Amino acid sequence: MKPQIINLPKILDKRGNLSFFEYPNQLPFDIARTYWIYDVPGGEVRGSHAFKEQQEFIVALSGSFDVVLHDGEKEERFCLNRSYHGLYIPKMYWRTLENFSTNSLALIVSDKKYEKNDYIRDFEQFKNLKSAL
């Protein structure tokens, strides 16, 4: 699979809307870990790594931010600014999160528990590993 925006169900209600995701209806993987990023100071960048095996799904629960993905050859930018859209990121994509709006909240779910050795933190190493695939 390639990175893609997944439209989530949106249940409209005058008391407030509700959206959700679940496996296998919206997510292509079982969730093993959930974390969130918040209170990002202006101009800061998060991420700047790739995973050898891990897949992720990212939703902007509040505010907005950009996810910049690189496949080893080209770059693609996704603006997340709706809580009923999420970005699926397969393994072996370099990701950077930037342009966080004030009070933005990024929710990330993953198919793997934290594993330090799954991270690739050097872009040149990532490109070399990607080209070897």
Side-chain angles (χ1 to χ4, degrees), residues 90-129:
K91 66 181 182 178
M92 290 301 291
Y93 276 82
W94 188 267
R95 81 273 328 271
T96 305
L97 283 70
E98 58 186 37
N99 296 326
F100 287 87
S101 69
T102 303
N103 295 323
S104 59
L105 173 59
L107 175 70
I108 300 100
V109 296
S110 166
D111 68 335
K112 306 269 189 254
K113 293 183 179 179
Y114 174 79
E115 175 55 54
K116 180 181 174 181
N117 293 330
D118 192 40
Y119 282 74
I120 306 167
R121 298 188 184 274
D122 178 87
F123 186 67
E124 290 306 314
Q125 179 189 13
F126 161 73
K127 287 196 319 186
N128 291 336
L129 287 169

Side-chain angles (χ1 to χ4, degrees), residues 6 29 47-48 50 66 72 82-83 86 93 96-97 112 114-115 131:
I6 297 174
F29 59 81
S48 297
D66 294 339
R82 301 280 188 263
S83 57
Y93 276 82
T96 305
L97 283 70
K112 306 269 189 254
Y114 174 79
E115 175 55 54
S131 67

Side-chain angles (χ1 to χ4, degrees), residues 1-5 69-71 76 78 87-90 93:
M1 286 184 77
K2 294 193 178 266
Q4 63 181 309
I5 295 290
L69 298 180
H70 202 291
D71 67 0
E76 189 172 5
F78 297 86
L87 176 61
Y88 167 68
I89 306 174
Y93 276 82

